[in-house]
Amino acid sequence: MAGWPQEMRVICRRERPGSGAQLSLLEEADGWRYSLFVTNTPGRQLDFLEARHRVHARVEDRIRNGKSAGLAHLPSTSMKVNTAWCVAAAIATDLLCRLRLLCLTGTMAQAEPKTLRYRLLHTAVRLVRGQRKRKLKIPQTWPGADELAACFTFALALAPPG
């Protein structure tokens, strides 16, 4: 390609798509998913370059999680309001990460923010105090009642910050 540096390479990776993947028209034609990336890293093997590129998928996951925590809906045309909104969305994303790290186990520890929101955070729960104890009143028909009870148990057992 004219105008490109001599050491610039375009690498194409072909793989079978996962279940539920949305394919483009080209990919639907032959059933393979294609991903392209450009590199100018000299003298490296293709498997190293491809593995380094695949790590970038984590960044894209974090961006998607941030969007589901509020970054996708900036409320105003005012820069100050949008700045405050971005800070609040970053705090929400961080709190969800800490919740998964400290209080959740199993599949819920790797759950997306949307799943956490609808299985845990939107639950109508009452924290009742009586007989020198704190009790949790969770509807038994709620699908994530056991996970939520375990989450509260872990959270209440944590040492206070400071």
Side-chain angles (χ1 to χ4, degrees), residues 22 30 34 38 42 83 103 113 121 129 133 142 159:
Q22 296 180 357
D30 65 355
Y34 297 95
V38 178
T83 302
C103 300
L121 302 176
R129 293 174 187 247
K133 295 180 185 176
W142 190 258

Side-chain angles (χ1 to χ4, degrees), residues 78-96:
S78 168
M79 187 64 178
K80 290 182 180 179
V81 173
N82 285 339
T83 302
W85 185 270
C86 287
V87 169
I91 291 170
T93 303
D94 190 42
L95 286 174
L96 283 175

Side-chain angles (χ1 to χ4, degrees), residues 12-28:
C12 178
R13 181 172 183 259
R14 183 176 90 155
E15 65 182 356
R16 287 275 177 208
S19 62
Q22 296 180 357
L23 302 177
S24 68
L25 290 176
L26 173 69
E27 293 168 342
E28 283 182 1

Side-chain angles (χ1 to χ4, degrees), residues 89-110:
I91 291 170
T93 303
D94 190 42
L95 286 174
L96 283 175
C97 288
R98 298 290 176 173
L99 174 75
R100 287 188 294 193
L101 179 68
L102 297 174
C103 300
L104 297 175
T105 58
T107 58
M108 292 303 283
Q110 279 80 36

